[in-house]
Amino acid sequence: MFKQRILATVVALFSLFIVFGGWFLTNELLDRQHVKLMNKVNSIDFNEKLDVEPGAGRTKTSLSTKEIANILKVWTSDRIRHYHEPYEGQLTMEEAINAANSWLSYFCKNDILPKEILESDFTQTNAFLYDTNPVSQVPAMITPAPDPAYSFWSVNLINREVSVQLMINALTGEIWMVDISSSSLEVNFDNIKVWDVLEQYEKYFGLFSSDEPKREEAYASKSYENNQIGITVYKKAGESGHYGTIHFSLTSTH
Amino acid sequence: MKLFVKIFLFSMIVLSAALSLSGYLLIMSSYKNAVVQETQRAMDQYQFIKFLIQSDIINQQDETDKNNLSDLISASLSNMENQNLTGLSNGINYVSVFSKGQKSIYSTFPSDLDFKISDYDVNQKIINKIEQIQGRAYVEVLGKITQSGQAVYLLTATDIQSVIDQKEGMVRNFGTIYFITIGIGIVLVIIFSTLLTRPLRKMSAAAGRIADGNYSERLRVLSNDEIGELSKMFNMMAETIEERIFELSNAAKQKEDFVSNFAHELKTPLTSVIGYADMIYQKPLSREDTKNAAAYILDEGLRLEALSIKLMDLIVLNRQDFVLEELPADELMQSIAGTLKPLLSNEKIKFKMEVVKAYIKVDYDLFKTLLLNLIDNAVKAGSTEISLIGEIMQKNYRVSISDNGCGISADEIERITEAFYMVDKSRARKQHGAGLGLSLASKVAEIHGTRLEFISTPGKGTVVSLSLPLEGGGVSV
């Protein structure tokens, strides 16, 4: 009988040891993992581009229509975008901003867009490079984008009244989307013919199509290369009754 | 150690290990994923600020003739702070820019930075790690901004304390769940162990009662599982034990009766022999008396001799393996009839024999002994007519001995094959009977794979028969 009691006591104590031991062990392991995470130093490599010498030209890279269509599909999808440093072959920030300014200058000086946009004093100019490829685990070691053509620079030229946003393909440097909004009465798009804008934009890309375009007062679109890609231009009126927004972009029609 | 205790301990170990492991894996997995996401968020924030700074530098360079990167950045960040573009003033993020010599150009960090740039290689790399700032956890991201051949270092800090707090909360919740689950587990294990071991305890108690002599003890079989199977087997075992005990008891009682009867049968003739011998020895007797006494002594002596011979036969029958051989039944019966002729003629008994020819498998001497004993009994029963019939019935050869003797009553028939049992003791003793003849015959029948069947009517006669399988020799020609 006495032996039974001793055994019962030993068993009870051992059970308590197992129960609390399990709890403490779990806590201890979690704490160790926590400390390990806290002390870990991660690094991500990238290929830093030296400053571009003024006047130095970039090697122009062109994409096929199919490639353009695929990239546009990804850009307009819900895929998460991440900032990143420029990959090999991509535009630097300076090149992207210069490309944006050059393009805008050209379109304004040739009366495709209101000259008043150029005359606006942009208080803010910023550019962000986005990657639309899925991100692997962070920190990741050298992981150049599977395709650098899928990144884009978003260049924004902003002041109190006018905002210009351009999406530039990071590999080719072409402007694939433009969004201009104005709350200024002096800068409006009432006299801008969307069809003219489309034609000029068409020329910018060197596209040609015999397809019949869709044309309305504030909307125009046309497809190219057997309906693989298209150009869409539209303008919207603001509260003032003037057309305060214009948007034109390359689109994937496939 | 009792089974209950073993089950309890094992269950506790398994439950505790399973809960601990699953809790650890779940919390760790969730925590790591959260840290990864927050680190990505911090990286995005770093990159965002870097792009803002770089954009502004490019802008300033275009608009002014400033060339010093430190001045450009300082102006850029101040400008951004004024416009609240980086969330610098809300205490969530910290930004610091410093030169190669770790001279601060701009900083919103609450205290001096306690690390050295020289400890990290940020050439074409962005470094991130988790640091504690004023008791809160931040992901610090460090990289280099290069412009116009000049370089400065950008360090951002993004608050991830919520992730740590969430993890702590998960650990606390896990602790609560762990102990509650263990508590419930203990109760369930105790209940389960008790239920599982209860049938075994009942079985143990039943085994104890059987050991105490209650051989009719049985278990109730309530399930079809292993315990139910065990209960069934236990009952079978108990039944077998009970039967064996019963057989052994009967055998022991028979042996006791046998010895008791044997002693009694031995004592009776010896008493007479001793008595008459003593009389002859002690007293001078007349010739007539001496002859009478001698006659009694001879009589009892013959009876003892018959008894010893039959006892010897019984013992031999019990101990030997007999090899049976195919013999023609009709010839066997003829031989027996020849042996009995003098006896039957003396007793003036009419003997009829009708025997069909056939082959049976017998031991010649034993079978002869059997038939002789049966016919001898018929003679002793006072028969005037005795028949010996051998006939084929279906696939068997049936041997019947019928007489018109005194017959046997129904309540005696069951006992007549017991050793030393005599229906009419006085008549048997008169004829030097020892009560072993039918016992012998029954034993011989058993050796031949058959049994004696008795049909008798008191006062009219008895028919004793036995059946033997017909053998391949078929009907002899």
Side-chain angles (χ1 to χ4, degrees):
Chain A
M1 193 62 188
F2 182 64
K3 261 190 184 174
Q4 292 285 337
R5 283 194 184 166
I6 290 182
L7 184 64
T9 308
V10 168
V11 166
L13 287 172
F14 188 61
S15 306
L16 281 172
F17 170 74
I18 290 167
V19 167
F20 284 97
W23 165 243
F24 284 120
L25 184 65
T26 307
N27 261 326
E28 179 63 27
L29 287 173
L30 284 169
D31 285 343
R32 283 191 188 187
Q33 285 295 322
H34 170 74
V35 167
K36 206 171 149 185
L37 271 175
M38 293 295 114
N39 292 334
K40 201 174 173 189
V41 178
N42 308 302
S43 71
I44 296 173
D45 290 3
F46 65 93
N47 295 314
E48 189 174 12
K49 291 201 112 177
L50 297 170
D51 295 331
V52 175
E53 283 179 20
R58 277 187 88 251
T59 310
K60 189 171 167 59
T61 310
S62 47
L63 300 167
S64 66
T65 313
K66 193 176 176 189
E67 282 172 323
I68 293 171
N70 288 338
I71 292 167
L72 285 167
K73 260 190 234 164
V74 171
W75 282 14
T76 52
S77 70
D78 292 333
R79 205 178 273 190
I80 296 171
R81 301 162 178 184
H82 294 280
Y83 301 118
H84 69 98
E85 293 291 327
Y87 303 133
E88 185 68 42
Q90 290 183 339
L91 268 65
T92 61
M93 181 185 284
E94 206 164 352
E95 285 170 341
I97 293 174
N98 287 341
N101 283 328
S102 301
W103 183 92
L104 192 64
S105 175
Y106 174 80
F107 268 62
C108 290
K109 282 178 179 169
N110 286 287
D111 292 325
I112 303 160
L113 292 172
K115 279 196 181 73
E116 288 81 8
I117 294 174
L118 266 186
E119 286 158 16
S120 314
D121 184 22
F122 291 113
T123 53
Q124 250 189 74
T125 301
N126 51 52
F128 302 96
L129 179 59
Y130 291 93
D131 185 352
T132 54
N133 289 292
V135 175
S136 59
Q137 259 198 348
V138 174
M141 296 311 289
I142 300 170
T143 52
D147 194 337
Y150 279 78
S151 300
F152 64 89
W153 280 102
S154 173
V155 179
N156 306 289
L157 308 164
I158 302 165
N159 63 30
R160 275 175 122 178
E161 290 169 333
V162 178
S163 151
V164 181
Q165 186 191 14
L166 305 108
M167 274 172 79
I168 307 173
N169 183 282
L171 187 66
T172 63
E174 290 169 338
I175 317 293
W176 285 12
M177 189 217 76
V178 179
D179 233 317
I180 306 175
S181 303
S182 168
S183 58
S184 163
L185 290 171
E186 289 163 6
V187 179
N188 64 66
F189 307 101
D190 293 347
N191 299 326
I192 300 297
K193 294 188 176 52
V194 291
W195 174 243
D196 291 340
V197 172
L198 190 147
E199 279 185 348
Q200 290 302 317
Y201 203 35
E202 198 179 64
K203 269 189 199 163
Y204 168 73
F205 286 113
L207 293 169
F208 171 78
S209 169
S210 55
D211 290 352
E212 268 305 304
K214 288 182 193 162
R215 282 170 81 149
E216 290 166 19
E217 192 207 325
Y219 177 89
S221 71
K222 199 172 173 186
S223 10
Y224 306 87
E225 309 286 337
N226 293 322
N227 266 344
Q228 285 190 78
I229 54 174
I231 291 175
T232 302
V233 181
Y234 61 82
K235 56 184 185 178
K236 278 187 195 169
E239 283 174 0
S240 59
H242 296 284
Y243 282 105
T245 303
I246 188 164
H247 169 97
F248 43 103
S249 60
L250 262 186
T251 53
S252 171
T253 53
H254 187 63
Chain B
M1 194 189 284
K2 287 196 176 287
L3 182 62
F4 165 81
V5 173
K6 286 180 189 170
I7 293 173
F8 179 79
L9 266 180
F10 178 74
S11 303
M12 279 297 101
I13 291 171
V14 167
L15 188 62
S16 182
L19 277 172
S20 299
L21 183 66
S22 54
Y24 168 77
L25 289 174
L26 275 169
I27 293 172
M28 210 55 235
S29 162
S30 169
Y31 178 48
K32 267 188 183 166
N33 285 340
V35 168
V36 163
Q37 279 178 15
E38 288 300 301
T39 305
Q40 178 61 50
R41 187 171 73 90
M43 292 291 292
D44 279 347
Q45 284 199 326
Y46 164 85
Q47 203 67 53
F48 173 75
I49 290 171
K50 187 179 175 190
F51 281 147
L52 278 180
I53 294 171
Q54 279 181 311
S55 311
D56 212 46
I57 288 170
I58 292 168
N59 227 22
Q60 286 183 66
Q61 277 181 326
D62 290 342
E63 289 168 9
T64 67
D65 54 2
K66 277 186 189 170
N67 270 324
N68 185 273
L69 188 58
S70 303
D71 294 338
L72 286 167
I73 286 174
S74 186
S76 171
L77 283 167
S78 297
N79 189 31
M80 276 187 240
E81 196 176 337
N82 289 337
Q83 295 180 57
N84 200 20
L85 287 175
T86 62
L88 298 173
S89 56
N90 59 12
I92 294 175
N93 300 317
Y94 299 117
V95 174
S96 180
V97 180
F98 41 88
S99 62
K100 203 174 177 180
Q102 208 152 339
K103 184 183 167 192
S104 176
I105 297 166
Y106 177 91
S107 180
T108 61
F109 274 74
S111 54
D112 289 338
L113 298 170
D114 60 354
F115 73 96
K116 290 182 190 165
I117 294 291
S118 53
D119 291 343
Y120 303 99
D121 175 16
V122 289
N123 287 318
Q124 303 202 32
K125 279 186 175 56
I126 299 172
I127 307 287
N128 68 70
K129 69 191 284 279
I130 299 173
E131 281 288 352
Q132 290 280 331
I133 300 173
Q134 291 187 336
R136 292 184 71 82
Y138 288 82
V139 173
E140 286 186 347
V141 185
L142 175 67
K144 200 158 79 169
I145 299 176
T146 311
Q147 197 71 33
S148 309
Q150 299 171 67
V152 293
Y153 297 92
L154 172 64
L155 175 70
T156 63
T158 305
D159 190 320
I160 62 160
Q161 186 60 35
S162 60
V163 169
I164 311 294
D165 293 341
Q166 194 182 45
K167 175 231 167 200
E168 297 296 327
M170 281 176 75
V171 171
R172 278 193 300 275
N173 289 340
F174 168 68
T176 308
I177 292 167
Y178 177 83
F179 285 107
I180 289 174
T181 308
I182 292 283
I184 293 170
I186 287 173
V187 171
L188 289 175
V189 164
I190 289 172
I191 292 170
F192 176 71
S193 301
T194 308
L195 287 174
L196 198 65
T197 55
R198 187 197 289 176
L200 298 174
R201 288 198 297 279
K202 282 186 179 174
M203 212 171 283
S204 176
R209 285 192 287 275
I210 289 174
D212 287 341
N214 183 5
Y215 302 115
S216 58
E217 185 73 24
R218 298 288 183 271
L219 296 168
R220 281 176 63 197
V221 180
L222 297 169
S223 61
N224 285 328
D225 58 10
E226 286 84 344
I227 300 287
E229 280 296 316
L230 184 60
S231 302
K232 279 184 199 166
M233 290 295 120
F234 182 90
N235 287 343
M236 273 175 64
M237 181 193 70
E239 203 145 317
T240 305
I241 287 172
E242 196 180 12
E243 282 170 9
R244 292 284 180 270
I245 298 285
F246 184 70
E247 283 170 9
L248 284 170
S249 298
N250 283 348
K253 190 170 181 313
Q254 280 177 0
K255 277 189 184 147
E256 202 183 311
D257 289 346
F258 178 87
V259 167
S260 154
N261 287 331
F262 174 69
H264 177 76
E265 291 302 317
L266 203 60
K267 187 184 131 198
T268 309
L270 279 175
T271 306
S272 298
V273 164
I274 292 165
Y276 281 111
D278 189 48
M279 198 167 76
I280 293 169
Y281 179 71
Q282 298 279 357
K283 293 177 182 174
L285 296 172
S286 64
R287 178 74 184 147
E288 192 64 36
D289 288 341
T290 306
K291 262 183 95 173
N292 285 336
Y296 276 116
I297 291 169
L298 178 65
D299 215 30
E300 293 304 302
L302 286 169
R303 201 151 79 80
L304 272 174
E305 189 190 44
L307 174 65
S308 74
I309 289 167
K310 286 206 169 136
L311 262 178
M312 190 65 77
D313 284 344
L314 257 181
I315 290 165
V316 164
L317 284 178
N318 273 333
R319 289 191 185 167
Q320 272 195 6
D321 292 325
F322 294 92
V323 178
L324 308 179
E325 52 179 331
E326 271 186 37
L327 292 171
D330 52 330
E331 288 173 23
L332 183 61
M333 309 293 180
Q334 295 282 3
S335 159
I336 290 163
T339 308
L340 286 169
K341 221 176 181 178
L343 170 67
L344 295 172
S345 179
N346 267 357
E347 299 291 330
K348 292 184 174 48
I349 294 171
K350 202 172 161 187
F351 182 68
K352 191 174 85 176
M353 193 171 82
E354 284 174 18
V355 177
V356 169
K357 294 172 186 181
Y359 276 84
I360 50 177
K361 218 169 184 181
V362 295
D363 179 282
Y364 177 78
D365 290 322
L366 282 181
F367 198 70
K368 194 170 172 182
T369 304
L370 181 148
L371 293 179
L372 286 174
N373 267 292
L374 292 176
I375 293 171
D376 184 49
N377 261 18
V379 169
K380 284 176 181 164
S383 306
T384 54
E385 285 177 21
I386 299 175
S387 307
L388 174 61
I389 314 285
E391 58 189 343
I392 293 173
M393 288 186 73
Q394 293 173 346
K395 288 187 182 171
N396 293 319
Y397 192 82
R398 193 170 180 81
V399 176
S400 308
I401 295 150
S402 49
D403 63 58
N404 60 353
C406 58
I408 312 162
S409 64
D411 53 349
E412 301 277 356
I413 274 184
E414 281 173 20
R415 299 194 65 186
I416 53 175
T417 56
E418 281 179 29
F420 299 111
Y421 185 79
M422 289 175 266
V423 177
D424 186 344
K425 282 189 169 58
S426 57
R427 174 172 58 83
R429 286 214 175 93
K430 216 176 174 179
Q431 294 161 334
H432 304 136
L436 291 174
L438 280 180
S439 177
L440 249 176
S442 175
K443 188 74 189 171
V444 171
E446 204 180 288
I447 288 168
H448 285 82
T450 184
R451 47 185 279 274
L452 299 176
E453 291 167 18
F454 295 88
I455 302 171
S456 185
T457 311
K460 284 200 174 167
T462 305
V463 178
V464 184
S465 46
L466 63 138
S467 295
L468 291 165
L470 279 174
E471 291 304 323
V475 176
S476 62
V477 179

